[in-house]
């Protein structure tokens, strides 16, 4: 399953995504890094099923930015 997680760089959501990846899901993470840390994503970035999009959810996002799957 492909799952979009917003606020991905936060402590809780980054661990949640690790769990999703371990269950075999594909994760698309969306974060603007206003409060989260890139260091929280180190283990996620190793996965082929993980895509990170730096974006603020308050701004419109084009469909082309959401479809960058590996």
């Amino acid at each position: 399953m492909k799952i979009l997680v917003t606020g991905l760089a936060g402590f809780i959501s980054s661990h949640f995504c690790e769990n999703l990846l371990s269950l075999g899901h594909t994760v698309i993470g969306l974060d603007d890094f206003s409060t989260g840390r890139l260091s929280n994503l180190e283990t996620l970035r190793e996965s082929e099923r993980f895509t990170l999009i730096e974006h603020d959810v308050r701004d419109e996002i084009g469909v082309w930015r959401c479809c960058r799957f590996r």
Side-chain angles (χ1 to χ4, degrees):
M1 179 181 298
K2 293 177 184 172
I3 301 170
L4 172 67
V5 177
T6 59
L8 175 76
F11 179 78
I12 293 173
S13 54
S14 62
H15 284 86
F16 175 65
C17 288
E18 286 178 12
N19 188 39
L20 291 172
L21 289 169
S22 72
L23 293 172
H25 299 292
T26 298
V27 175
I28 302 136
L30 190 67
D31 205 303
D32 67 353
F33 297 100
S34 58
T35 58
R37 296 181 180 179
L38 188 59
S39 61
N40 288 338
L41 307 179
E42 290 303 317
T43 58
L44 300 174
R45 294 169 61 155
E46 299 170 2
S47 175
E48 290 291 321
R49 290 177 283 107
F50 173 71
T51 301
L52 172 63
I53 301 172
E54 185 173 351
H55 185 76
D56 188 332
V57 296
R58 297 173 292 182
D59 298 328
E60 183 177 336
I61 186 169
V63 173
W64 63 271
R65 293 229 17 223
C66 295
C67 298
R68 296 183 308 159
F69 301 108
R70 295 180 189 181

